[in-house]
Amino acid sequence: MAKWLGGRRLIALIAVIALVAALIVWRSVSSSPSYQSEEFRFSSETADPAELDVTVFVPDGVTADDPAPAVIVAHGFGGSKDSVEADALALVERGFIVLTYSARGFGTSTGEIGLNAPDAEVADAQNLISYLAERDDVELDGPDDPRVGITGGSYGGALALLAAGYDERVDAIVPMITWNRLARVFFPNGEGEREAAAGPAAADGFTPGAFKREWAGTFFGFGKGVDLTSLLGAADSESDDSEPGGGGPLNGGSLEDPECGQFAADICAVYADAATTGTLDDAGLARLDESSPYSVADQIDAPTMLIQGQADSLFPLSEADVTARQITEAGGTVKVMWTAGGHDDGGVAATDAELSRVYDVTADWFDYYLAGNGDDPGTEFEFAQQTGLTTTGRSGRPTARNEVAEQYVDNVATYDGVDLAGPPQEIVRPPGGVPGSLSSLPGLGLGVAFDPPGQAAYFSSAVLSDPVTVVGSPVVTVDVSGMPDGGMLFAKVYDAAPGGLPALPGGQVVPVVVPENNGNVALEVTLPAIAHSFEADHRIMVAFATTDRAYQVEPTQQTVTIALGEDGAIEYPTVATESLTYATSAWTRLLIGIGAAVLIGLAALFVLRARRTKGERIDHDPELDNVPLIADGLRKAYKDGFVAVKDVSFRVERGQVVGLLGPNGAGKTTTLRMLMGLIHPTDGSLRVFGHRVRPGAPVLSRLGCFVEGVGLMPHLSGRENLTLYWAATGRPIEDARFDEVIEIAGLGDRLDRKVRTYSQGMRQRVAIAQSMLGLPDLLVLDEPTNGLDPPQIAEMRQVLQSYAVDGRSVLVSSHQLAEVEQTCSHVVVVNVGEVIASGTVADVVGAGGEIDIDTNDGQAAAAALRDLAGVKVVAAESRRVIVELDGVRAGEVVAALVVAGVEVEQVMPRRHLEDAFLALVGGHE
């Protein structure tokens, strides 16, 4: 072996392996921040003094001689300092001193909840800033002026804004998923609201809109009652939490006032009056405005990054929009980011990757504005672009890609329009407002939208020939008659996919208060702000409902007529963007690159040893030499008990393009990683051309793969990337078959440009061409169309179909169901780690459901099929019959008609792959 490799090469390989091992150990140790923590109780002297439970994290190496900036991390409503520890440690790792604390009325802190009142919670924050100024390890800008930033989500986000508005010592803030004006949040779209959207707080010019009763009740309830967890925690504790410092009811403390809980009396009175009357008086408005960043946003000069969630029916995107506008108009620096998550999605981020991105951009913001490190983060607008596909995840959450625009949408948006159609429609509000339309459930966001029959008017576009991307708030004009002054409608935008139920992007709905109208009024309605791509073959639908269960409505029955306005179009904003790839750190890229080199070296050693070990058993079944892939009973379980793959079995034959489908978490990528030999299955086996797959198995040379992202060097051309990749394999250059691969992939002259100039689609195509080098017999691709626009997806379809010739096969995982239906010959549907359907696309689509049959005599066809088991005649016309199949194949139906003498001209399924997929996944447990 040493003779073949050369003594120096072997020694060099061993040295590289040792270096990588050392780097991995170093990186593992260094990835956990090293720090000291201090816990204490802080007396906040305010008009209503409180004892706050505080923790300060100090990175190792920060001393009086080498001080560091500080960041205060504030928690959300119902949380405590413990709920933000992960956020704090992410900042400690960047070298910041971090202070966390439980706000008054939460955790073990005393005091009453003032809802971020200036003389209570905001004063507490100011006192903590003064405390930081007294520490000798905190960097100072002047006497009693520490270098300090504030971040937090929801309740903590509003505190960050209010503290920056009241205290000039705050140097930078990152508020997340929070409010601008509580009155607008809980009474949205009142008359005069838009005129009062900017400027100092005042009761003048604002009339409360519809009362958001479910969120208001949920919000208030978090600070009011004792829950089961609290009782269990109190029962297990030996301490007497009813003593001072024992904390609020959510932490096992006493509940002195069962009506108001931990709330201050004035806040309790505002809620009680609103919940009883469904409106807000001037005193209540003034009190809520005190607790609203709206009141001081025009005084904020600290650089501000606003992170707002799209899945948020509590604090929608429009709240961040108003805050951004106020700060910008006052001359402040603002950057805006829209995530896919929010209060209806369990927090700030919809995915772990997005949460990691939020951590990174927050730390980068403070690094630049507090520590003076790194590049200027600028004011680019970053957002998660939701798509029209809703088949990822069992909750039906839409897929998303991440986009970036030069500036916030308010400054760079252009408007376009799509024509809508639909007759005037008479709808009714039922007595008591029950049943009500469902748009979202507070804090759950189940992805379910429903309008009871007869209670909503719908206006729809034609089927879209090209995608329509909406970034911001669309506008539509309607004529309303029969609605009394002050009556309410609820407007929303649906994405209607072919053959499926319409989806409601972000679960968003806006109440529309009908002004004085003399029986008839034309309304220009601003619809909810969204960042959504309506895909080709979908329709845009605008709905106006008379009820919504999240809002309080008049209990009296009312009939109203809704008609499209004169222009009959929906006008929507959009922005020019570029796709954003979340970057890995330099160390991570280094480790990945070195690790890849080591894997290639180890694979070479393994192959040599396998060849040279005489008499070694070869795990090979010659009868399967012509079968590209067999997965048999695959199972992957981890030590912590998590089972990623339970039982997966399927085959890929020569010449097939097989689609591996399933929602997020179904086990697709884990299955592909086992196929690559990257991880071992717990049970079961994988065979490629008869050979069992193991790490370094020689048969893997017949397999090309694209799994988990694009990895190209941006400073090189596409051709140089391909050449270097092939050179690393050590195989002869003529075996790469560059010309054939380039032709199949359709790369052309663009291949000679630098990768950094490529579009996302071009980068994706080059990466897939890389996996095609050598024209392997089996090509395995994981989500190859991620981040591509429809024309690029169509080109990718041609690439895959062109590849699967001359006996070659393709296995592709994807959530682009329409593309899978057009591209793949076969599909395997996986859910919860198990195969729930497989076969040809026609088999899966046609397994049940309805079919249309064109014949020479529809009535005769219906008569011939009525007694056929498993067939139900749904409708019969002169030359067509529609039947529903239950376990019967379409071919059997055709055969029965031919026997009966009926001529069959055409048979068409009435559903597509997406319908079949949703039916399979939605019903499988």
Side-chain angles (χ1 to χ4, degrees):
M1 185 187 301
K3 182 178 179 180
W4 187 88
L5 282 173
R8 292 182 179 178
R9 293 182 182 180
L10 181 57
I11 292 171
L13 178 60
I14 293 172
V16 168
I17 293 173
L19 174 62
V20 170
L23 283 172
I24 289 174
V25 171
W26 178 88
R27 182 61 177 168
S28 175
V29 172
S30 66
S31 63
S32 299
S34 182
Y35 62 90
Q36 304 296 319
S37 62
E38 308 167 14
E39 294 193 46
F40 56 92
R41 298 192 69 78
F42 178 81
S43 296
S44 182
E45 298 301 326
T46 64
D48 178 19
E51 291 281 329
L52 305 178
D53 183 20
V54 176
T55 297
V56 176
F57 300 89
V58 182
D60 285 356
V62 173
T63 64
D65 294 330
D66 189 13
V71 178
I72 295 174
V73 179
H75 63 76
F77 201 81
S80 70
K81 68 174 187 177
D82 295 333
S83 59
V84 294
E85 183 172 332
D87 309 61
L89 294 182
L91 291 166
V92 170
E93 188 173 5
R94 293 290 192 100
F96 295 103
I97 293 175
V98 180
L99 184 151
T100 65
Y101 69 103
S102 298
R104 57 174 62 210
F106 294 105
T108 60
S109 294
T110 63
E112 295 179 321
I113 300 170
L115 218 59
N116 285 335
D119 58 354
E121 286 87 354
V122 176
D124 290 339
Q126 292 180 284
N127 288 338
L128 289 169
I129 292 172
S130 295
Y131 159 77
L132 289 171
E134 295 171 359
R135 293 182 62 104
D136 59 8
D137 52 3
V138 174
E139 187 175 345
L140 298 179
D141 290 327
D144 192 34
D145 186 3
R147 182 73 57 83
V148 63
I150 306 178
T151 185
S154 192
Y155 193 56
L159 178 76
L161 287 162
L162 284 157
Y166 278 102
D167 199 320
E168 293 182 351
R169 296 176 296 173
V170 179
D171 298 294
I173 57 174
V174 183
M176 306 178 193
I177 57 172
T178 194
W179 69 85
N180 171 268
R181 192 177 192 185
L182 281 174
R184 178 174 50 248
V185 165
F186 292 119
F187 297 88
N189 273 16
E191 187 177 355
E193 179 178 307
R194 298 190 180 281
E195 291 74 11
D204 297 338
F206 180 91
T207 300
F211 180 43
K212 195 184 291 184
R213 61 179 181 184
E214 290 221 358
W215 258 123
T218 301
F219 196 71
F220 188 75
F222 269 114
K224 184 176 181 295
V226 180
D227 64 8
L228 179 60
T229 304
S230 305
L231 292 172
L232 293 175
D236 292 340
S237 174
E238 295 181 0
S239 65
D240 182 5
D241 285 339
S242 64
E243 295 298 320
L250 292 180
N251 291 274
S254 61
L255 187 63
E256 297 180 0
D257 185 350
E259 292 185 1
C260 293
Q262 295 297 113
F263 279 100
D266 56 350
I267 292 295
C268 183
V270 171
Y271 171 75
D273 185 57
T276 303
T277 66
T279 188
L280 188 66
D281 61 21
D282 287 351
L285 173 61
R287 178 61 187 85
L288 292 185
D289 278 349
E290 286 182 7
S291 294
S292 296
Y294 158 88
S295 62
V296 294
D298 57 355
Q299 301 172 37
I300 296 175
D301 57 13
T304 303
M305 180 163 66
L306 296 166
I307 300 177
Q308 203 77 353
Q310 297 178 50
D312 203 321
S313 56
L314 176 59
F315 304 138
L317 298 177
S318 53
E319 288 299 293
D321 178 70
V322 178
T323 301
R325 193 181 324 131
Q326 286 184 261
I327 298 175
T328 301
E329 289 177 356
T333 298
V334 179
K335 181 181 177 72
V336 180
M337 177 180 176
W338 291 352
T339 71
H343 282 86
D344 290 330
D345 200 26
V348 176
T351 65
D352 288 342
E354 192 172 59
L355 180 58
S356 178
R357 175 64 177 168
V358 169
Y359 282 158
D360 286 345
V361 297
T362 300
D364 289 345
W365 191 259
F366 289 137
D367 251 349
Y368 183 77
Y369 285 108
L370 298 183
N373 298 328
D375 297 329
D376 185 346
T379 57
E380 290 180 326
F381 170 43
E382 181 180 327
F383 61 95
Q385 174 69 70
Q386 307 283 346
T387 75
L389 295 174
T390 58
T391 56
T392 60
R394 298 199 62 171
S395 66
R397 177 190 297 156
T399 59
R401 57 178 178 265
N402 298 288
E403 304 287 337
V404 62
E406 291 183 1
Q407 298 180 59
Y408 184 47
V409 63
D410 228 24
N411 304 320
V412 297
T414 58
Y415 278 79
D416 206 341
V418 172
D419 289 335
L420 301 176
Q425 297 162 57
E426 190 174 64
I427 55 178
V428 66
R429 181 179 65 218
V434 179
S437 292
L438 177 63
S439 53
S440 65
L441 293 174
L444 298 179
L446 297 179
V448 176
F450 172 73
D451 298 311
Q455 292 181 211
Y458 302 98
F459 304 100
S460 174
S461 71
V463 173
L464 300 174
S465 57
D466 297 300
V468 168
T469 299
V470 178
V471 184
S473 297
V475 177
V476 68
T477 301
V478 292
D479 295 325
V480 179
S481 59
M483 179 67 79
D485 298 352
M488 280 178 290
L489 297 168
F490 299 89
K492 43 199 163 184
V493 182
Y494 283 112
D495 183 339
L501 292 174
L504 186 62
Q508 297 299 309
V509 60
V510 293
V512 180
V513 179
V514 179
E516 183 176 348
N517 59 78
N518 295 321
N520 188 37
V521 63
L523 294 179
E524 183 179 83
V525 178
T526 300
L527 296 161
I530 56 176
H532 187 83
S533 178
F534 295 84
E535 304 295 335
D537 298 327
H538 289 214
R539 297 175 185 265
I540 301 174
M541 292 177 59
V542 176
F544 288 85
T546 56
T547 60
D548 191 280
R549 64 168 290 134
Y551 291 85
Q552 184 167 318
V553 299
E554 287 292 326
T556 56
Q557 182 169 320
Q558 183 68 45
T559 301
V560 59
T561 300
I562 313 290
L564 276 174
E566 185 176 350
D567 59 1
I570 179 173
E571 305 291 331
Y572 63 91
T574 191
V575 294
T577 64
E578 293 183 0
S579 294
L580 176 71
T581 300
Y582 292 160
T584 56
S585 68
W587 271 110
T588 302
R589 290 194 296 273
L590 175 61
L591 289 176
I592 291 172
I594 296 176
V598 171
L599 286 175
I600 292 172
L602 290 176
L605 288 173
F606 183 90
V607 171
L608 281 173
R609 186 172 182 178
R611 289 178 177 176
R612 294 173 60 90
T613 304
K614 190 173 181 179
E616 182 180 52
R617 182 178 65 88
I618 300 175
D619 195 352
H620 174 216
D621 185 348
E623 294 184 1
L624 300 175
D625 280 353
N626 203 41
V627 181
L629 174 64
I630 295 179
D632 183 18
L634 285 182
R635 175 182 173 84
K636 181 60 182 177
Y638 293 91
K639 291 182 180 179
D640 62 0
F642 174 67
V643 179
V645 174
K646 295 180 181 177
D647 183 11
V648 169
S649 301
F650 64 91
R651 292 170 67 109
V652 176
E653 303 286 356
R654 283 190 178 274
Q656 291 181 349
V657 180
V658 179
L660 185 62
L661 307 180
N664 283 349
K668 303 189 301 298
T669 299
T670 302
T671 298
L672 296 185
R673 295 183 70 208
M674 287 189 281
L675 172 58
M676 298 297 105
L678 299 176
I679 58 175
H680 291 280
T682 306
D683 292 303
S685 66
L686 279 156
R687 289 185 181 272
V688 172
F689 296 104
H691 295 264
R692 187 182 293 271
V693 172
R694 300 186 187 280
V699 74
L700 290 177
S701 65
R702 301 181 64 181
L703 183 152
C705 67
F706 170 82
V707 178
E708 296 183 342
V710 177
L712 301 174
M713 289 179 278
H715 64 286
L716 299 179
S717 70
R719 190 182 302 276
E720 289 167 335
N721 268 279
L722 296 180
T723 302
L724 285 175
Y725 173 83
W726 186 256
T729 69
R731 297 165 64 183
I733 190 69
E734 59 269 17
D735 289 353
R737 304 174 71 171
F738 280 107
D739 292 341
E740 292 175 72
V741 169
I742 291 169
E743 182 177 356
I744 292 172
L747 296 174
D749 295 338
R750 295 174 292 175
L751 193 61
D752 294 307
R753 289 166 29 207
K754 302 293 185 187
V755 167
R756 63 170 173 259
T757 68
Y758 288 173
S759 66
Q760 175 67 13
M762 184 62 181
R763 287 195 296 268
Q764 199 93 328
R765 187 177 295 195
V766 172
I768 291 173
Q770 183 174 280
S771 67
M772 292 179 181
L773 288 175
L775 294 181
D777 296 304
L778 176 61
L779 189 63
V780 180
L781 307 175
D782 186 20
E783 300 283 4
T785 57
N786 261 2
L788 304 188
D789 58 30
Q792 294 168 337
I793 291 173
E795 292 173 356
M796 187 64 66
R797 181 198 316 153
Q798 296 173 358
V799 169
L800 299 185
Q801 291 173 336
S802 299
Y803 191 83
V805 296
D806 300 329
R808 295 191 295 267
S809 305
V810 179
L811 174 64
V812 54
S813 77
S814 178
H815 59 255
Q816 299 276 2
L817 299 182
E819 286 307 313
V820 169
E821 188 167 6
Q822 296 179 69
T823 305
C824 296
S825 58
H826 294 70
V827 292
V828 177
V829 183
V830 181
N831 193 32
V832 200
E834 298 179 294
V835 174
I836 58 175
S838 63
T840 67
V841 173
D843 285 341
V844 173
V845 171
E850 296 180 355
I851 58 173
D852 279 359
I853 308 172
D854 289 344
T855 69
N856 63 328
D857 189 337
Q859 298 299 327
L865 297 176
R866 282 199 174 93
D867 295 328
L868 185 62
V871 177
K872 177 183 178 182
V873 177
V874 176
E877 302 173 3
S878 60
R879 299 182 63 85
R880 185 176 69 147
V881 64
I882 302 172
V883 298
E884 182 179 312
L885 306 182
D886 183 9
V888 178
R889 296 176 58 85
E892 298 175 52
V893 175
V894 173
L897 291 175
V898 172
V899 170
V902 177
E903 298 177 9
V904 178
E905 299 174 0
Q906 184 174 247
V907 179
M908 294 180 297
R910 289 178 62 83
R911 70 174 185 174
H912 295 281
L913 180 58
E914 183 170 12
D915 305 311
F917 179 91
L918 290 171
L920 289 166
V921 172
H924 184 76
E925 296 294 338

